[in-house]
Amino acid sequence: MRILHTSDWHLGRSFHRVSLLEAQAAYLDHLVATVGECEVDAVVVAGDVYDRAVPPLSAVELFDRALHRLAAAGVPTVMISGNHDSARRLGVGAGLIGRAGIHLRTDPAECATPVVLHDEHGDVAFYGLPYLEPALVKDVLKAERAGHEAVLTAAMDRVRADLATRPESTRSVVLAHAFVAGGEPSDSERDITIGGVAAVPAGVFDGVDYTALGHLHGSQAVTDRVRYSGSPLAYSFSEVAHRKTMWLIDLGATGTIDAERIDCPVPRPLARLRGRLDTLLEDPALARHEEAWVEATLTDPVRPDEPMARLLDRFPHTLSLVFEPERAPEDPLASYAQRLRGRDDQQIAEDFVAHVRGGNGADEQERTVLRGAFDHVRVDDGVREVNR
């Protein structure tokens, strides 16, 4: 069976205030064309269809057109909700839409109810594990505790139990939206850390032939059988080195995997430029970036006059301007942003505690309280967004 694995469309998202709607439409055109040209048997979409729980109408219309075209092509599609989606909204009408061959899996309680497709070698069971917010699904899945690994393990135990009831020749595919250990993140994914731990081991997915992951935006193979398709478009400058692709997976008669990357259309290349303003404006080697979306980091010791206007003369698609003056690390004028770079909310809060105490940091009990507070706020924000 030939499977096209994609995820993280984030329909409705912009790039530094530049609308990506046309680029997202072009990507979906490319996806539908690839389905026909590569004789795809099934499409899997591993979450984050939309960029937010209540997407703009233009994004909903784009999604609707894509569903109609995939249904018209007669190729079954299985998709799950991600942490950016409202599972309840995305799942509205799932039963009716399923009759057209578009199978939406948004209910954690149904994670062990597969979509079963057939080829000349027998059955392939597709299990959809929507994004599992630990605090919200622990009881539903009867997990031992409220953590990412615990709830995914509980979900996969149900999957493996169902698979054990099926003919031995049945092959299996799992769709999941999670941060799996070994994956390389970027700046554009929303943090899903719970209890200070975000990543789960790839071994959670043992026992199935292929795991189609979503959440991380870089296309990558965690193992031969566990892969991220990545986002089809770049959503932050941290993705400047990404090659945006989909996975074309050939699932053999005995569960063997052959994988090929299918490139996605690039609306405009990205460039991260760094140096003094005069150098960026005069260096002939930078001519190749003049039509790119540019993030410029200026290192001038003193802020230049009208830097953005001058950059736009040469790089008309400059979207981000950052100042990092050339100063010694111990210089008290070093920027606050520089001091915070690479630290998460928990570390920043603990540093604040140490600062106000004159160097005495938080003890283990206090760190647990801080972690619980951040987890509570994040989960509460998620619940509020879903219920809007």
Side-chain angles (χ1 to χ4, degrees), residues 333-351:
L333 295 178
S335 76
Y336 182 66
Q338 286 176 282
R339 296 198 300 273
L340 296 185
R341 182 172 293 113
R343 299 181 184 181
D344 60 26
D345 291 342
Q346 177 83 15
Q347 292 169 319
I348 293 169
E350 291 179 17
D351 287 348

Side-chain angles (χ1 to χ4, degrees), residues 8 10 87 96 156 215:
D8 294 273
H10 289 278
L96 185 61
M156 283 302 302
H215 181 57

Side-chain angles (χ1 to χ4, degrees), residues 32 64-77 97 99-102:
V32 174
D64 181 62
R65 290 198 298 272
L67 295 191
H68 276 83
R69 295 172 69 188
L70 288 168
V75 176
T77 299
I97 295 171
R99 297 180 186 178
I102 308 294

